[in-house]
Amino acid sequence: MAKKVAEPYKGTGKMRKAQKRQIEEFTTLLKQAHKEIKRCIETHNTAAAMDLLAQCQEGAVRTGELIEKTEGEDCPAIRLVENYCELVYQIYGELNRGQDGKAGNVHKKLHRLLIQVENSIRNDVKVRLEMVFLPYKASMWDSLESVWQAADADPACDAYVVPIPYYDRNPDGSLGTYHYEGNDLPSYVPTVHYDKYSFEDRKPDAVFIHTPYDNANYVTSIDPRFYSGQLKKHTECLVYIPYYATAGGMSEAQAQCPAYYNADYIIIQAPKYCNFFDQSVPREKLIPLGSPKFDRVIRMCGDPPELPEGWKEKSAGKKVYFYNTSLQGMLGDTEAFLKKMEYVFQCFRGRDEACLLWRPHPLLESTFRSMRPMYKPIYDALRDEFVNDGAGIYDDTPDIETAIAHSDAYIGDAGTSVTSLFGVAGKPLFILNNYINTPPGDEDWRGEAVNPVLDIWGDDRYQITKNNQLWFAENNDYHYKFYMDLGTGYSSGGYYIKAVEIRDKIYVLPGNAQDFLIIQDKKIRKINLPYKTTQAGAFWSYRYNEKYIFLLPNQYPWLVRIDTITEKISYVDGINQFNVRNVEGERRVGGVCPYGNELVFASPEDNRFLFLDMDTLEGRVLTSGSKCGLGAQGIVPEGDNLWLLPLNGTVLTCWNPKTEETREYGDLPEGFRSVQWPHNLECEERPFGAMVFYEENGKENIVISPSWGNMYVSLDRETGKMEEWETPLPFQNRGRNGYFTAGGMGGFVVGYSECGKANYRIWYAPERKLYDVNITTKEYREIPIEFDPDELKAHEPGFMEESEWMQYCLNEGAFNSLGDFLDGRVTGNQFDRDRQIKAFSKINADTEGVCGENVYRFVREKIGNLA
């Protein structure tokens, strides 16, 4: 079918609101002119009165011409305007002949006829609205389509679709390859070429956009002529509708975009999303009406369109799995992403009952070119192999809803709007772990289950598993049994990070939650904190003693202190801003440690430290005086000394805050290097993780365990000499496979009972093993950490509400592999379509598929109020 091409309307019957308002404003001026004409006649200023009459005549003629042009010559207002012109001409002639009439009669005649003109214009001249829709990516048209359809169906509205061009960014940020996708929109959508629509001349009543970035997108850019600030110059109502939909959360990058400040309204999915936007965005702009993307997917899943050419023979009689590869997944860890692609393709090979429909993100290839060019050949080879193999469907069409309508299930990343489309459509979501690229072995469940948060007081009886369950080792022997579910109602999400027992109460401390739990006799009491952040990661860690628990804020605005005796909660402002910062585009957290009766918080970007009194909550800021003030990721107390483990650089600093003395150590052994996680790039960041001290027979031993570093290091305090401290086991930096992900080799677990002794615990992260090691003799023994895999399976959630940020899904793991999902072997809850649709209704203000109609109605009413 040929593409429909429209032209902006130039004929009759199309008066615009702005034109009618111009006419109404002119009639108001005529009223004022009539009063002035009356005054001039009364004062015998005939020349001035005649001049005003001539101006009234000239303006009335132009008004009549405009009405005739837009409404036609049969419009009743035309005759009344002509009568008005005749009256003005008659009065002008009388004055010119010296026949001074009574001023009151002249004014009355003019006013009476002008009232008739005004009434006719108000009642007989119908305003037509003009609305313009500006898609740039054809694949994102669904975010505007249902609003356009509602506008197009209104006889009183002229709706134009004006696709706008965009450019790939070159590596230096300049505009590169030109793209125009107007010809890729559905054939039933008439379009106007952007060069043929003049915003300056037409001044549309409303303009709808679906990109918020203007010049702030590092991958692509729309033509700068269509940046939101330029558009706002020519319309009274600029509306931004997100090109994406979300299954629960929004990234921080979406909190503040240039178009938000130029748009009059921003359409959001549900009221909860108001809190995701930066406080600088006026709340009255945020209108929770749903997402037009949901309208289309609901409609098309109910009545699937014809299969595109070539799809039928590949999918006939098979279950179709929609495979989504997202930008977030690729940029997060490109090597893992590519290995995951290869693994997914392998899992589908030879399966006669399954068809893989692979739909890469529309900007994936351009993002490879601009941001990961060294990996582009690997991606190209995988893509070409998949396409040439011919077993699956490679979908690069602009219409994602067709693919969703013909798919039976989703597999892919969580951080993509596509999950929400499958969610509202009621189709299963299997969320991939991009680090998993092998089928699970018999012991690979340990990589997911054995991730203990080890206690500085040595009490490791309680551990919280990834599915928000509390497990208990009665004798503190690391042999864990199921204790209870923590009642989050979610299968994941990292809501709590640690449980500590103080006196007879178990305190369950939050990570992503904004509350904490107190458990006594297996009864949970939830203590809610003020809800302050919509982002994951409210708290990054904790510190506690017998009297207080401190919750260390990440996204949460305050430090929280819990008095375990009175249960009084105190909030301390300023800690988050000091200890957590965005440095060079990365969110970084400084170290924290106790120092006498104070907690010390390190800045992550300089050599300042905040000392907070645990009792009074009064603070003081000191500077270490270190020459390498690049932020400390760790602070290790040793008597009056504080050892500063750098975030940036490889210089270790010993600082005495009382004497202000500092000494720096940076003579690292040959071969020492830091390897960035997850990109595996050599760097000078986060080299050290922890330190231990032991003195025997007058000889001091200082050993430093790595964070991103590749070896343990011993230090001679006096000479400054640093040497490799060879571990009794051949430790590695990375886990054996994707089930055992690790950002480093682990390190010392320093408990208060171990300080100053020869034996310390070492957590070997890549193998999920705990050892007791004598740092002098290097004798060691493993401390077994045990879970019963059958008991773990019995408590595996399966399909369930996952978190606030993913409403309902099944996560890939050792007990639910991709192969298991394809074979229909789900451990835990089986898929429940009704439960999924109910869960996703929390993030969609409109579950009926009529968001577009509601958005159009809202904008039309707002435009009417501007008239």
Side-chain angles (χ1 to χ4, degrees), residues 733-744:
N733 275 60
R734 301 291 183 258
R736 68 176 81 160
N737 58 34
Y739 302 94
F740 289 82
T741 54

Side-chain angles (χ1 to χ4, degrees), residues 440-738:
D442 291 341
E443 293 293 308
D444 282 344
W445 60 267
R446 294 184 59 84
E448 299 171 339
V450 182
N451 277 294
V453 177
L454 300 169
D455 188 72
I456 198 168
W457 296 97
D459 185 0
D460 294 320
R461 290 176 297 162
Y462 298 97
Q463 294 296 334
I464 298 171
T465 56
K466 63 176 183 177
N467 45 11
N468 303 307
Q469 296 169 355
L470 186 61
W471 291 62
F472 180 54
E474 184 174 4
N475 300 315
N476 203 27
D477 58 2
Y478 302 96
H479 292 188
Y480 293 100
K481 298 292 183 183
F482 178 79
Y483 188 75
M484 66 186 307
D485 186 273
L486 293 175
T488 63
Y490 296 118
S491 65
S492 188
Y495 280 86
Y496 302 100
I497 56 177
K498 182 63 177 175
V500 299
E501 186 167 355
I502 302 176
R503 290 175 284 279
D504 63 338
K505 299 176 182 176
I506 303 170
Y507 291 84
V508 182
L509 310 181
N512 288 334
Q514 295 177 60
D515 59 68
F516 64 92
L517 310 178
I518 298 176
I519 301 174
Q520 290 178 288
D521 300 324
K522 287 195 173 183
K523 294 181 180 178
I524 296 176
R525 183 157 50 99
K526 179 187 285 189
I527 311 298
N528 289 313
L529 305 173
Y531 190 83
K532 288 294 179 180
T533 179
T534 56
Q535 299 293 336
F539 301 94
W540 70 271
S541 191
Y542 65 93
R543 298 292 184 270
Y544 78 101
N545 57 31
E546 289 187 352
K547 186 176 181 181
Y548 299 123
I549 297 173
F550 292 88
L551 306 179
L552 309 183
N554 178 21
Q555 297 285 357
Y556 204 73
W558 306 314
L559 173 77
V560 178
R561 186 188 72 179
I562 305 164
D563 189 317
T564 62
I565 297 173
T566 65
E567 293 190 7
K568 178 183 177 181
I569 302 173
S570 302
Y571 301 93
V572 184
D573 197 9
I575 303 298
N576 173 282
Q577 296 87 335
F578 187 92
N579 185 234
V580 183
R581 299 185 188 180
N582 283 309
V583 181
E584 297 178 354
E586 177 187 1
R587 193 174 186 86
R588 295 184 178 179
V589 180
V592 180
C593 81
Y595 186 70
N597 196 50
E598 294 177 300
L599 277 181
V600 184
F601 296 84
S603 162
E605 64 176 339
D606 54 42
N607 59 359
R608 294 183 305 140
F609 296 82
L610 190 154
F611 289 70
L612 183 75
D613 188 287
M614 296 189 202
D615 291 319
T616 66
L617 299 179
E618 294 180 354
R620 58 193 178 104
V621 176
L622 299 179
T623 301
S624 71
S626 169
K627 297 176 184 177
C628 301
L630 299 175
Q633 79 152 355
I635 313 173
V636 180
E638 183 219 5
D640 289 343
N641 293 328
L642 293 176
W643 290 81
L644 312 179
L645 312 181
L647 261 167
N648 287 282
T650 55
V651 175
L652 180 69
T653 302
C654 180
W655 172 45
N656 187 320
K658 296 180 179 179
T659 66
E660 299 185 359
E661 293 178 277
T662 61
R663 182 169 179 184
E664 297 177 342
Y665 303 89
D667 187 19
L668 288 167
E670 184 178 353
F672 184 95
R673 60 191 180 95
S674 282
V675 181
Q676 186 188 53
W677 170 259
H679 301 296
N680 290 324
L681 300 175
E682 191 168 340
C683 64
E684 289 194 350
E685 298 178 33
R686 297 175 172 86
F688 311 123
M691 297 178 67
V692 296
F693 307 85
Y694 172 58
E695 187 171 334
E696 183 179 37
N697 298 327
K699 177 177 171 55
E700 182 183 51
N701 292 284
I702 302 177
V703 182
I704 308 156
S705 61
S707 176
W708 284 357
N710 65 334
M711 66 177 70
Y712 285 66
V713 174
S714 65
L715 169 66
D716 187 308
R717 186 195 305 257
E718 299 303 321
T719 66
K721 185 176 182 180
M722 304 174 81
E723 299 180 316
E724 180 177 1
W725 185 81
E726 295 186 2
T727 58
L729 294 167
F731 288 175
Q732 303 295 321
N733 275 60
R734 301 291 183 258
R736 68 176 81 160
N737 58 34

Side-chain angles (χ1 to χ4, degrees), residues 803-825:
S803 68
E804 295 170 55
W805 305 279
M806 171 56 72
Q807 302 309 303
Y808 184 92
C809 69
L810 173 65
N811 286 311
E812 181 183 17
F815 293 142
N816 280 302
S817 68
L818 177 55
D820 292 333
F821 180 61
L822 297 179
D823 291 335
R825 297 189 307 268

